Amino acid sequence: MSLESPSLIQAKAEAARTASRRLATTSSEQRAGVLLRLADLLEQRQAAILEANAEDVRAAEGVIDASSLQRLKLDSSKVAAMAQGVRAVAGLPDPLHRIQLRRDLDEGLELTRVACPLGVLCVVFESRPDALIQISALALKSGNAALLKGGSEARHSNAILLEAVQSALRDADLPETAIQGLGDRAAVAVLLQRPDLIDLVIPRGSRELVQSLQAATRIPVLGHADGVCHMVLDQAADTTMAVALVRDAKLQYPSACNAVETVLIHRGAAERLLPALVADLAPRGVELRGCAACRAIAPDLLPATDADWEAEYGAPILALKVVTDLDEALAHIRAHGSGHTEAIVTEDAEVAARFLAEVDAAGVFHNASTRFADGFRYGFGAEVGISTGRIHARGPVGLEGLLSYRYLLRGRGHRVEDYSGPGARSFIHKDKGAGAP
Amino acid sequence: MSLESPSLIQAKAEAARTASRRLATTSSEQRAGVLLRLADLLEQRQAAILEANAEDVRAAEGVIDASSLQRLKLDSSKVAAMAQGVRAVAGLPDPLHRIQLRRDLDEGLELTRVACPLGVLCVVFESRPDALIQISALALKSGNAALLKGGSEARHSNAILLEAVQSALRDADLPETAIQGLGDRAAVAVLLQRPDLIDLVIPRGSRELVQSLQAATRIPVLGHADGVCHMVLDQAADTTMAVALVRDAKLQYPSACNAVETVLIHRGAAERLLPALVADLAPRGVELRGCAACRAIAPDLLPATDADWEAEYGAPILALKVVTDLDEALAHIRAHGSGHTEAIVTEDAEVAARFLAEVDAAGVFHNASTRFADGFRYGFGAEVGISTGRIHARGPVGLEGLLSYRYLLRGRGHRVEDYSGPGARSFIHKDKGAGAP
C-alpha cells in the first residue's frame, strides 16, 4: 500500500496530464526560460541543497554501499555541473513543433507531420539525486510532464531539487504540476496499471529496477535491463589496436552498461592476441576468466563457466573465449548478447562488413570501443537512456525519444468521395520542404 | 489449449526469427522478386483460390453476418486486386538499409543510423482473407518475418494463400518459415506471453480483437481499438462545406474507423447548420440523435444519451451536440475522443489554428473530411494499420512502422579515454548526407 491514496495518485497524474497539454503549446523560449531559471536557482540555493544532501548522506552512511554513497553525495562542483547541464539542455535546438513531413495531397489539401510531446512520463531512479534535475530538464525541454520517484535514501536532496524545478515553473507562469514527486514505490505500482494516465515509463538505475518495472506494466518502458557487450578480435585484428580497445572498453568505466564483458578471439590469432591481452590487463587488476582453449594458451587464466557468458560484471572482470571463426562469434553473440553494443576489431574489410551487416544490436562497431555507445558521444546533446528495445527508440536516446507526432491536414472542403468512382480526382502527393515550424 | 503444442509454437517462432535474420540482409531486388513472384502465383492459381474460398463461403453462409460474409467472399476481381496490391508494394522504395543519419564523431570515426526490420511480427486478422496477402507483402518488403492467424471461417482460403506466399519464398531461395500460419487463437495466446520471440503484435479487425490482444500482452500492439472521431462545426463554418464534409465523413464508408461519429455544433451557428444537416442526411437514411439543445431546433431528432458520446456506430448513425464555444468542443473531444482523427470546419483562421495546435490526436484536420486519415491517401503507398498510441508509430502507419534502426560505428582504433581528462580530444559531430545505402 502506498502512503498516498490511489485517488491522490490519480489526481497527481491527471494534473500532470493537464499540465502536459499546456506545455505542448508553449514556445521554445518559454520552455528554455524555465530551464535557465532552474539553473540560476540551483546555483542560488547551493548551500541549502548541500545541507539537505548532507542529511541524506549522514543517514545513509554504513547503510548503503560505498559506490551508492558516492553517487548520493553532492558537492559544489556537482551542483555547478547540474546547473551547467540544465543550461546545455536549454540551449539544444527545440525538438517540438518541428515539421517532419509537408506534402500536398492535392491542390489546397496540405498534410504536415509535426513533432509533439509524448505526454506524461513516469520516471523511477535510484540514489543519484542529479538524475532528478537531468530528467526534469529533458522532460520540460520536450514539453512533457513527469512524475518522479527517486531513491528514498536521497529524499531530502530530491525534495529540495524538486522544489527548485517547481519554483522555476511557477516563475515562468507554467503549472508546477508539470513535474511532481511520487511518495513511494507503491505509488509507482498504482501508475504502472494505468496506461490511460502514463505514456512512457523511464527507469534509471539497476538491472533489477528495469526488470521489475518491465514485468509489472503494459506501458512501454524505455531502457535496457542488460548490457552484455562483446568484442570480437578477428584473425586479422591489429594486436596493438585490439589490446588498446579491449582495455578502453573494459577499464575506462567498468560499471557502465556499454563496457565490454566478453572478448571472443579468433582461433587463428589467439596465440598472438591472448598473451598480449593478459600482459596488458592482468597488471591493471583485471580478473581474466578463459575457456579451455584460452587456458591452453594462457594457463594463468581462471576457468570461465557457462555463467560467465551471461554475466554483466560491472567490474574489472573479463571473460575470454576462443572461437573457430566469425560464424561461431556471431552465434555466440546471438545466444548471449543483450542487443546493446557489439564490436569487432579487424583489418579485414570483408569481415567487418559482414559483422556490421549481420549483428542485430542497437550498436554495431568496427575498430572502436563499445564505450562510445552514448547519447553525448553520438552528439545528441542529451541522453534519456539507452534502449535495447526495437520499438520506438533504440540505442542511446536523445530528446527525440520523448516525442511523438501528429498529422495535421488543412483543406478547403475536400471530400474523399471525390477521389473514387468514375471521373475521380487523383492525389498528387507532392512533397515540400520540412523543418522548423 | 492450442491444438499445437507449446514447443511446436515456440519452434515456429524460432524458425521465424532465423528467417528474419536472413531477410534482414537481403537486397531490395530479392525482396521485390518474392513479391512479383507471389503476384504471378495468385493470378496463376486464381481458380484454385476461388474454389477454396467457395468452400469457406458455403460453410459460413447463415453462420456469420452478411457484412462478414461479404468480406470473406473472393471473386476474380478481388484476386486481381490482391495481385495488383502485391505488385504495388513490390514497387515501393526500399525501406531497408536506408541511412537515416551519417555523422563524423571525430576524424575517422563515422556513425551511421541504418534502418532495419523489427524482426518477427504476430498478426491476427478476421474474416477478410486478402489481409493475409497484404500483410505478408508488407512484412516481406520490410524484411520482417510474420506469424499469421486468420479467421477460422476463412481457413481454406487462408491455407491456399499462405501456400502461394511460401511458394514464392521457396522460388526465391528464401526460407518459407519467414511467413507461417498459426493453428488457432490459443497459439496466439502462447506467443503473447513471449516478448523474447515476438517484436510486434498487429491486430487487423474489430475493436474487441484489438482490446483483447492489448489486454493480454506486454508486447507492443500496433493499432487502435476505437475510432470515435468528431467534426466540429464552428460558428464561422460555411454551410455548404459543413454539410458536404459531414456527409462524406459519415456516409462515404460508415463502418470505417475514420468515419465521423459525433458532430459538435457551435451554438451561434446551430440554427443555420442543424436544419441544413438534417435536410441533407435524413433523406439519405442517416439516423440522427441530438442533445436537448439540438432537439429544440430540430424536434424530429431522436434523443441522444450519454452513451452516444462514446459510441463508434460503424453505421449510418450520427450524434449531434450543440456546444457553447470552442472550449466546450475541445473539452468534449478530450473527454470522449479516441485520439484517432478530429476535424473542424471553419472559415475563421484563428479558430482553425487553435484547433490544430491544441487537439491531441493522430490526425487533426481543418476543412477536410476525417476519411482522409489513411495511409494510401497520405501517400505512404501501403498501410500497416492506424495507430492511436503515442509510442513508435502514430496515425496511418506505412512500412516505416515495421522498421527499427541500428547504429553502426566505424573507427580506426578510437578509444573513449582519449576524449576525457587533460589534453583530451573533442568530438566534432559533423553531419554528412543521409539517404540510400
Side-chain angles (χ1 to χ4, degrees):
Chain A
M1 273 292 288
S2 173
L3 292 171
E4 299 174 318
S5 70
S7 63
L8 172 63
I9 297 163
Q10 170 159 347
K12 280 187 176 185
E14 285 168 352
R17 174 71 64 198
T18 304
S20 80
R21 288 198 196 100
R22 177 79 188 283
L23 286 174
T25 58
T26 47
S27 68
S28 175
E29 292 68 29
Q30 267 181 294
R31 278 172 284 114
V34 176
L35 298 191
L36 295 175
R37 176 70 185 143
L38 171 58
D40 291 347
L41 288 175
L42 291 173
E43 289 170 347
Q44 288 166 19
R45 299 182 182 180
Q46 181 187 305
I49 291 167
L50 294 182
E51 203 171 307
N53 181 251
E55 201 171 337
D56 287 330
V57 170
R58 269 194 303 275
E61 261 160 350
V63 179
I64 63 177
D65 65 56
S67 71
S68 299
L69 196 68
Q70 201 50 44
R71 285 196 292 272
L72 173 61
K73 195 168 183 170
L74 297 177
D75 56 26
S76 59
S77 75
K78 277 197 188 175
V79 175
M82 264 191 239
Q84 198 40 51
V86 172
R87 288 196 184 99
V89 171
L92 290 175
D94 189 23
L96 277 192
H97 313 314
R98 288 190 72 80
I99 295 172
Q100 303 170 338
L101 172 98
R102 189 197 295 268
R103 174 177 295 168
D104 281 337
L105 304 190
D106 194 359
E107 204 178 315
L109 185 63
E110 187 194 65
L111 180 74
T112 54
R113 190 173 116 163
V114 182
C116 70
L118 287 178
V120 180
L121 318 175
C122 178
V123 186
V124 185
F125 51 96
E126 291 180 331
S127 49
R128 193 190 286 269
D130 29 344
L132 186 147
I133 292 298
Q134 197 201 8
I135 197 73
S136 298
L138 295 169
L140 292 172
K141 178 74 181 182
S142 56
N144 288 284
L147 297 163
L148 310 178
K149 171 67 187 82
S152 55
E153 66 284 5
R155 84 173 65 80
H156 297 97
S157 316
N158 287 337
I160 197 164
L161 293 173
L162 179 62
E163 170 51 28
V165 174
Q166 294 186 327
S167 292
L169 283 162
R170 281 194 301 270
D171 292 349
D173 205 24
L174 287 170
E176 65 177 32
T177 46
I179 306 286
Q180 298 172 71
L182 294 169
D184 48 32
R185 285 293 287 278
V188 174
V190 170
L191 291 174
L192 292 179
Q193 303 315 313
R194 298 294 300 270
D196 55 324
L197 296 176
I198 301 295
D199 298 300
L200 184 69
V201 175
I202 304 180
R204 306 201 53 154
S206 67
R207 170 183 187 166
E208 290 68 32
L209 174 69
V210 179
Q211 284 177 330
S212 72
L213 291 174
Q214 285 175 332
T217 188
R218 293 197 294 115
I219 304 170
V221 178
L222 182 85
H224 65 279
D226 299 306
V228 181
C229 303
H230 298 81
M231 193 163 270
V232 178
L233 308 184
D234 180 51
Q235 188 160 21
D238 175 85
T239 309
T240 308
M241 186 192 290
V243 170
L245 287 180
V246 173
R247 184 176 63 228
D248 190 77
K250 182 73 251 182
L251 281 180
Q252 203 265 337
Y253 189 38
S255 64
C257 58
N258 55 17
V260 70
E261 310 297 350
T262 300
V263 171
L264 303 170
I265 308 170
H266 192 290
R267 188 172 57 177
E271 300 212 14
R272 168 169 63 92
L273 295 170
L274 201 46
L277 277 177
V278 174
D280 188 83
L281 297 175
R284 296 173 199 269
V286 179
E287 180 182 321
L288 298 166
R289 305 180 185 175
C291 66
C294 288
R295 299 180 72 222
I297 298 167
D300 289 347
L301 299 186
L302 296 169
T305 67
D306 282 353
D308 283 299
W309 313 134
E310 310 289 345
E312 183 175 1
Y313 299 114
I317 306 172
L318 189 66
L320 299 160
K321 187 179 183 183
V322 169
V323 292
T324 311
D325 53 19
L326 184 58
D327 285 322
E328 192 187 338
L330 293 172
H332 183 97
I333 289 171
R334 276 200 298 275
H336 304 287
S338 55
H340 191 299
T341 304
E342 310 292 354
I344 193 166
V345 184
T346 184
E347 298 300 307
D348 184 329
E350 270 182 48
V351 167
R354 204 184 140 203
F355 188 83
L356 290 168
E358 293 190 17
V359 173
D360 182 23
V364 191
F365 292 6
H366 172 217
N367 288 352
S369 167
T370 54
R371 293 273 299 119
F372 282 105
D374 172 278
F376 292 95
R377 294 179 191 129
Y378 281 6
F380 300 159
E383 186 178 281
V384 178
I386 295 184
S387 168
T388 53
R390 286 182 176 85
I391 302 295
H392 193 57
R394 192 180 199 192
V397 180
L399 286 169
E400 184 184 14
L402 300 182
L403 298 180
S404 180
Y405 50 78
R406 301 181 304 143
Y407 285 100
L408 307 183
L409 184 66
R410 295 172 170 94
R412 300 176 188 163
H414 289 73
R415 303 173 307 169
V416 162
E417 62 176 285
D418 295 327
Y419 298 83
S420 63
R425 294 189 63 87
S426 294
F427 290 106
I428 60 175
H429 292 151
K430 184 176 161 201
D431 283 343
K432 305 190 286 186
Chain B
M1 272 295 285
S2 173
L3 293 170
E4 299 174 319
S5 70
S7 64
L8 172 63
I9 297 164
Q10 171 160 346
K12 280 186 176 185
E14 284 169 352
R17 174 70 65 198
T18 304
S20 81
R21 286 198 199 102
R22 177 81 189 283
L23 287 175
T25 59
T26 46
S27 67
S28 176
E29 292 69 28
Q30 268 180 293
R31 278 172 284 114
V34 176
L35 298 191
L36 295 175
R37 176 72 185 143
L38 171 59
D40 291 347
L41 288 174
L42 291 173
E43 289 170 347
Q44 289 165 20
R45 299 182 182 181
Q46 180 186 302
I49 290 167
L50 295 181
E51 203 173 305
N53 182 249
E55 201 171 335
D56 287 330
V57 170
R58 269 194 302 277
E61 261 161 349
V63 179
I64 62 177
D65 64 56
S67 72
S68 299
L69 196 67
Q70 201 49 44
R71 285 196 292 272
L72 173 60
K73 195 169 181 167
L74 296 177
D75 57 26
S76 59
S77 75
K78 275 196 187 175
V79 175
M82 264 191 240
Q84 197 40 49
V86 172
R87 288 196 183 99
V89 171
L92 290 174
D94 189 24
L96 277 192
H97 313 313
R98 288 191 72 80
I99 295 172
Q100 302 170 340
L101 173 99
R102 189 197 296 270
R103 175 178 294 167
D104 281 338
L105 305 189
D106 195 358
E107 205 178 317
L109 185 63
E110 188 195 63
L111 180 73
T112 55
R113 191 173 115 164
V114 182
C116 70
L118 287 178
V120 180
L121 317 174
C122 178
V123 186
V124 186
F125 51 98
E126 292 179 333
S127 49
R128 193 190 284 271
D130 30 345
L132 187 148
I133 293 298
Q134 197 201 8
I135 198 72
S136 297
L138 295 169
L140 293 172
K141 177 74 181 181
S142 55
N144 289 283
L147 297 163
L148 310 177
K149 172 66 187 80
S152 56
E153 66 283 6
R155 85 174 64 79
H156 297 96
S157 316
N158 287 337
I160 197 164
L161 293 172
L162 179 63
E163 170 51 30
V165 174
Q166 295 186 328
S167 292
L169 283 161
R170 281 194 301 268
D171 292 350
D173 205 25
L174 287 169
E176 65 178 33
T177 46
I179 306 287
Q180 298 173 71
L182 294 169
D184 48 31
R185 285 292 288 277
V188 174
V190 170
L191 291 174
L192 292 179
Q193 303 315 314
R194 298 294 300 269
D196 56 324
L197 296 177
I198 301 295
D199 298 301
L200 184 68
V201 175
I202 304 180
R204 307 201 53 154
S206 68
R207 171 184 186 164
E208 291 68 31
L209 174 69
V210 178
Q211 284 177 331
S212 72
L213 292 173
Q214 286 176 332
T217 187
R218 293 199 294 115
I219 304 170
V221 177
L222 182 85
H224 65 280
D226 300 305
V228 181
C229 303
H230 298 80
M231 193 163 271
V232 178
L233 308 185
D234 180 51
Q235 188 159 20
D238 176 84
T239 309
T240 308
M241 186 191 290
V243 169
L245 287 180
V246 173
R247 184 175 63 228
D248 189 77
K250 182 74 253 180
L251 280 181
Q252 204 264 336
Y253 188 38
S255 64
C257 59
N258 55 17
V260 69
E261 311 296 351
T262 300
V263 171
L264 303 170
I265 308 170
H266 193 289
R267 188 173 57 176
E271 302 213 12
R272 167 169 62 93
L273 295 172
L274 201 45
L277 277 177
V278 174
D280 188 82
L281 297 175
R284 297 174 199 268
V286 179
E287 180 182 320
L288 298 165
R289 304 180 186 176
C291 66
C294 288
R295 299 180 73 222
I297 297 167
D300 290 346
L301 299 186
L302 295 168
T305 68
D306 282 353
D308 284 298
W309 313 132
E310 309 289 344
E312 183 175 2
Y313 300 114
I317 305 172
L318 189 66
L320 299 160
K321 187 179 183 184
V322 169
V323 292
T324 311
D325 52 19
L326 183 60
D327 285 323
E328 191 186 337
L330 293 172
H332 183 97
I333 290 171
R334 275 200 297 276
H336 305 289
S338 55
H340 192 297
T341 304
E342 310 292 354
I344 192 167
V345 184
T346 184
E347 298 300 306
D348 184 329
E350 269 183 49
V351 168
R354 206 186 137 200
F355 188 83
L356 290 168
E358 293 190 19
V359 173
D360 182 23
V364 191
F365 292 7
H366 173 217
N367 287 353
S369 168
T370 54
R371 293 274 299 122
F372 282 105
D374 173 279
F376 292 94
R377 293 179 192 130
Y378 280 6
F380 299 161
E383 186 179 281
V384 177
I386 296 185
S387 168
T388 53
R390 287 183 176 85
I391 302 295
H392 194 56
R394 193 180 199 192
V397 180
L399 287 168
E400 185 185 12
L402 300 182
L403 299 180
S404 180
Y405 50 78
R406 300 182 305 143
Y407 285 99
L408 307 183
L409 184 67
R410 294 171 169 95
R412 300 176 189 161
H414 288 72
R415 302 173 308 167
V416 162
E417 63 176 285
D418 296 325
Y419 297 83
S420 63
R425 295 187 63 86
S426 295
F427 291 105
I428 60 173
H429 292 150
K430 184 177 161 200
D431 282 342
K432 306 191 285 188

